[in-house]
C-alpha cells in the first residue's frame, strides 16, 4: 500500500485548491497588483469540477443517487466534462443537453468521457421546447430515478464556491484582496465566492463580467428583464438569456460588458504574455479588468483577483484558430496585427 500526500486515490481528490498566479507582463502598465485564480488546474480543467462534485455528493448524502443511476444536465460543456469525469469514478450514467454554440472540441470530449450528448439549438428562447433547458427536463422525466443537476437554479452551485473558491482566495491573498472580477453565467462562481469574501470584508468590490446580448447587467441595475437585449454572441459560458436563481445579485457590486472580439484578443494576449493557456471567458475577464482600469477603478495598493474559469485547449477550433478568428472578422480589424504562421525561408 502506497499512501502519502503525493499519491491520490483518484482524480476527484485533485478538485479545488487551484493556484493563485500573479499576472506580471499583461498588467505591467496597470495600477494595482493582479492575480489570476487559474481554474484550469482542476482535473477537469475548469471551475465546474467544484460544483459538479458538491452537487453529486449532496445527492448521495440524501440517498437519491446510487451507483448505476443517471445524472442529467444542461451544459455549455465544462459542467458536462466534470459530471462525466465524476460519473466514471463513481459509476453513474451521464446524459447531457448541450448548446449548439458549444465548440465541437467540447462536444467530442464529452463523448470521449462516456457521456450521452444531445445537441440543442442555441438561438431559441429558454422556454422553447427545443432549448437545452427543456430537453434536459424531458430527459429527466423519461429516465426514472435520474438526478437533474440544474446548475442554473440550484443553490448548491453557489454553495460549492462559498465553501471552496471564496476561502481559498481569502487565504491565498492573506485577506488582502480588494477586488474580485469574475464572469457570470449561472452566477454560481461570482455569487458564492463573493458571499464568502464579503463576509470576511464587506469593502471588497465584486465585479461581474457580462456579454453584449445578455440580460444580466441591466437586470442588476434596474430589476428589469429586458428580452429585447437578447441576441446571439460567441463567448460560451458568459452571460444569459434568463435570470438564473444561482445568481445572488445582492453580492455583486456592478457588471461590466465585454465584446466577443476584444475578449478573444485578450485571451490570446494572456497566453502570449503570461504563458497561461486559458479559455475564452478568461479573456473576457481580463478584458473587463482592462476596461475597469480605464475607468479608474484601481489604485496602486489594490489587490485584484480575476478568475480564469477554464483551459484554452477547449477552444482550439475557436479563439485559438486563426481561421475562425478571420471568419468572425476579428483579425481584419486595423487595431490588430494579422497573426500569420511564419514560413521558414527556403
Ligand atoms: N466561463 C466558462 C467557460 C463557463 O463554462 C462558465 C459556466 N457557464 C462560466 C465562465 C461562468 O461561471 P458560472 O456559471 O459559475 O457563473
Amino acid at each position: 500500500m502506497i499512501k502519502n500526500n503525493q499519491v491520490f486515490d483518484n482524480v476527484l481528490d485533485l478538485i479545488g485548491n487551484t493556484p493563485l498566479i500573479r499576472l506580471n507582463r499583461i498588467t505591467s502598465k496597470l495600477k494595482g497588483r493582479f492575480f489570476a485564480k487559474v481554474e484550469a488546474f482542476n482535473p477537469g480543467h475548469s471551475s465546474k469540477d467544484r460544483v459538479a462534485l458538491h452537487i453529486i455528493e449532496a445527492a448521495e448524502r440524501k440517498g437519491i443517487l446510487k451507483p448505476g443511476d443517471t445524472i442529467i444536465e444542461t451544459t455549455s460543456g465544462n459542467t458536462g466534462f466534470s459530471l462525466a469525469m465524476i460519473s466514471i469514478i463513481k459509476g453513474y450514467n451521464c446524459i447531457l443537453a448541450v448548446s449548439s454554440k458549444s465548440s465541437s472540441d467540447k462536444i467530442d470530449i464529452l463523448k470521449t468521457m462516456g457521456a450521452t450528448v444531445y445537441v440543442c439549438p442555441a438561438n431559441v428562447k429558454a422556454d422553447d421546447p427545443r432549448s437545452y433547458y427543456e430537453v434536459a427536463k424531458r430527459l429527466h422525466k423519461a429516465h426514472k430515478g435520474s438526478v437533474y443537476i440544474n446548475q442554473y437554479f440550484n443553490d448548491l452551485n453557489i454553495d460549492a464556491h462559498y465553501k471552496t473558491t471564496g476561502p481559498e482566495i481569502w487565504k491565498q491573498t492573506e485577506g488582502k484582496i480588494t477586488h474580485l472580477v469574475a464572469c457570470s453565467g449561472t452566477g454560481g462562481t461570482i455569487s458564492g465566492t463573493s458571499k464568502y469574501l464579503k463576509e470576511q470584508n464587506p469593502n471588497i468590490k465584486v465585479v461581474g463580467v457580462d456579454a453584449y446580448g445578455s440580460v444580466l447587467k441591466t437586470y442588476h441595475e434596474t430589476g428589469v428583464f429586458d428580452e429585447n437585449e437578447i441576441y446571439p454572441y460567441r463567448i460560451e459560458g458568459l452571460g444569459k438569456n434568463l435570470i438564473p436563481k444561482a445568481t445572488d445579485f445582492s453580492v455583486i457590486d456592478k457588471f461590466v460588458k465585454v465584446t466577443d472580439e476584444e475578449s478573444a484578443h485578450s485571451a490570446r494576449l494572456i497566453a502570449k504574455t503570461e504563458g497561461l493557456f486559458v479559455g475564452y471567458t478568461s479573456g473576457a475577464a481580463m478584458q473587463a479588468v482592462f476596461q475597469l482600469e480605464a475607468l479608474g477603478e484601481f489604485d496602486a495598493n489594490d489587490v485584484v483577483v480575476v478568475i480564469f474559469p477554464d483551459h484554452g485547449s477547449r477552444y482550439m477550433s475557436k479563439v485559438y484558430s486563426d481561421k475562425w478568428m478571420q471568419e468572425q472578422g476579428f483579425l481584419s480589424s486595423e487595431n490588430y496585427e494579422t497573426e500569420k504562421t511564419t514560413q521558414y525561408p527556403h
Side-chain angles (χ1 to χ4, degrees), residues 48 76 78 152 161 183-189 236-237 281 309-310 315:
K48 294 297 180 177
S76 66
N78 283 331
Y152 288 91
H161 292 286
C183 293
S184 204
T186 66
T189 307
E236 299 159 38
T281 53
D310 71 350
Y315 305 89

Side-chain angles (χ1 to χ4, degrees), residues 11-29:
V11 285
L12 307 189
D13 285 350
L14 288 154
I15 293 176
N17 290 313
T18 53
L20 194 67
I21 302 179
R22 184 194 290 270
L23 296 171
N24 297 296
R25 292 173 61 194
I26 199 166
T27 51
S28 60
K29 295 202 177 90

Side-chain angles (χ1 to χ4, degrees), residues 279-343:
Y280 201 171
T281 53
S282 303
M286 199 66 234
Q287 178 58 31
V289 167
F290 295 148
Q291 291 174 204
L292 287 163
E293 148 78 16
L295 292 169
E297 181 82 24
F298 308 125
D299 288 331
N301 291 328
D302 284 344
V303 173
V304 182
V305 173
V306 47
I307 297 186
F308 287 172
D310 71 350
H311 194 258
S313 56
R314 292 197 178 146
Y315 305 89
M316 289 313 298
S317 60
K318 290 207 167 173
V319 204
Y320 300 118
S321 152
D322 284 353
K323 184 168 169 281
W324 184 86
M325 289 287 278
Q326 253 147 11
E327 282 164 5
Q328 312 309 312
F330 291 173
L331 288 184
S332 59
S333 161
E334 281 175 23
N335 296 331
Y336 305 111
E337 223 179 285
T338 304
E339 296 176 35
K340 297 188 212 94
T341 308
T342 310
Q343 297 262 328

Side-chain angles (χ1 to χ4, degrees), residues 11 61 115 124 229 265:
V11 285
R61 279 194 299 275
V124 295
E229 271 200 302
H265 284 282

Side-chain angles (χ1 to χ4, degrees), residues 188-292:
T189 307
I190 191 165
S191 306
T193 308
S194 172
K195 192 169 163 228
Y196 180 86
L197 291 173
K198 280 179 181 279
E199 276 174 12
Q200 313 312 308
N201 175 3
N203 296 325
I204 295 171
K205 290 263 171 330
V206 175
V207 182
V209 185
D210 191 18
Y212 288 97
S214 152
V215 298
L216 300 177
K217 183 172 190 284
T218 302
Y219 183 76
H220 180 251
E221 287 165 5
T222 65
V224 174
F225 171 79
D226 182 4
E227 221 179 41
N228 297 320
E229 271 200 302
I230 300 170
Y231 62 82
Y233 52 89
R234 299 173 186 91
I235 312 177
E236 299 159 38
L238 171 69
K240 239 24 274 167
N241 58 354
L242 50 73
I243 305 300
K245 194 169 153 275
T247 308
D248 180 351
F249 287 89
S250 73
V251 293
I252 301 168
D253 293 292
K254 68 171 172 180
F255 278 92
V256 170
K257 284 205 183 211
V258 293
T259 67
D260 289 331
E261 179 168 1
E262 287 175 317
S263 302
H265 284 282
S266 292
R268 287 174 160 229
L269 196 61
I270 297 168
K272 292 223 164 68
T273 53
E274 303 293 331
L276 277 172
F277 189 46
V278 288
Y280 201 171
T281 53
S282 303
M286 199 66 234
Q287 178 58 31
V289 167
F290 295 148
Q291 291 174 204
L292 287 163

